[in-house]
Amino acid sequence: VQQSPGLKIQGSIIATTLVELIARDGAVYISGTIRNPSFGNVADVRIIAGTTISIQDGASVQADRYEVRAPVAIRFMQDGNFTVNGFFGGLVGMEGTGYLRLSLGNIVGGQFVPNGVLNLQSGVLSSTGDMEISASSILMDGTSALIAGHLKVVTTNGITLYTLVDTLSVEILSSGNITIHEGNTITLNRIITPNGNVMIDSGGTM
């Protein structure tokens, strides 16, 4: 589907191989469902916007591979587990979007409650500015990366992250270890776990 200037998806898109949503001059807004006919994953989902992408509370996007690109901002909110194989970021190459927020959970009594595991398997999230991630926990393999100016992570349980960020804030709400593998120099703003250990290594200074 290609639309100008913007594109809004409120119902269901059902496909097996590819879903491509493009609004090169405007925004893409999704509050509906993208899935295959058996209520599983589409092989590939590609979403390109000229400004912002918003995948909001109540939406469900299920794919084996993702390419999600917008220059200004990407906001993704979904209840339950979510696996990223692919790229979320800017329009060209590995460049970042201006702001990226990925939230797994739901709104209860006006407040966000994390509910879902973010699993990055050959997945890259890239922002030139702020990146905010909220989830029950985060799993990453060594081929994945979080790239940002400032990264803020809030989870219920412990995490292991592979990062390329300037500054970092992490808060564990319940208990668990914090393990950070940073490729460059990093500034630590706020690192909190009520019951766990913290291990951070970097390719530069801290």
Side-chain angles (χ1 to χ4, degrees):
V1 179
Q2 187 161 338
Q3 181 92 14
S4 181
L7 180 61
K8 180 180 288 188
I9 305 297
Q10 294 178 304
S12 296
I13 296 178
I14 300 173
T16 302
T17 305
L18 172 67
V19 172
E20 190 172 63
L21 305 175
I22 300 174
R24 296 198 182 276
D25 299 323
V28 175
Y29 177 87
I30 299 173
S31 59
T33 300
I34 299 174
R35 61 173 176 83
N36 75 15
S38 301
F39 294 90
N41 290 356
V42 180
D44 290 275
V45 168
R46 183 171 185 253
I47 306 172
I48 311 294
T51 56
T52 63
I53 295 171
S54 295
I55 301 170
Q56 293 300 312
D57 186 23
S60 176
V61 180
Q62 304 175 56
D64 293 329
R65 289 172 297 277
Y66 293 89
E67 183 182 0
V68 180
R69 296 180 178 272
V72 178
I74 298 171
R75 299 175 178 88
F76 184 103
M77 183 174 176
Q78 183 168 294
D79 189 22
N81 300 337
F82 183 63
T83 298
V84 177
N85 177 340
F87 182 77
F88 282 57
L91 292 178
V92 179
M94 298 291 286
E95 74 177 14
T97 185
Y99 170 74
L100 197 156
R101 183 179 71 212
L102 197 156
S103 306
L104 298 184
N106 49 59
I107 304 296
V108 178
Q111 293 188 334
F112 178 79
V113 178
N115 180 45
V117 177
L118 175 60
N119 188 1
L120 284 91
Q121 299 292 323
S122 298
V124 175
L125 308 182
S126 180
S127 170
T128 57
D130 290 346
M131 180 185 299
E132 300 181 34
I133 300 175
S134 300
S136 297
S137 62
I138 301 174
L139 304 175
M140 295 182 68
D141 65 7
T143 64
S144 300
L146 303 175
I147 305 170
H150 175 67
L151 173 62
K152 178 183 178 181
V153 175
V154 178
T155 62
T156 308
N157 303 306
I159 56 173
T160 297
L161 305 181
Y162 294 86
T163 64
L164 290 167
V165 302
D166 297 329
T167 60
L168 176 66
S169 301
V170 176
E171 182 175 1
I172 306 298
L173 300 176
S174 180
S175 64
N177 298 331
I178 297 173
T179 302
I180 309 295
H181 303 289
E182 166 60 38
N184 296 317
T185 298
I186 188 173
T187 299
L188 304 177
N189 283 358
R190 176 182 169 92
I191 309 296
I192 297 175
T193 177
N195 184 19
N197 300 318
V198 177
M199 186 192 80
I200 302 174
D201 60 72
S202 73
T205 58
M206 284 190 288

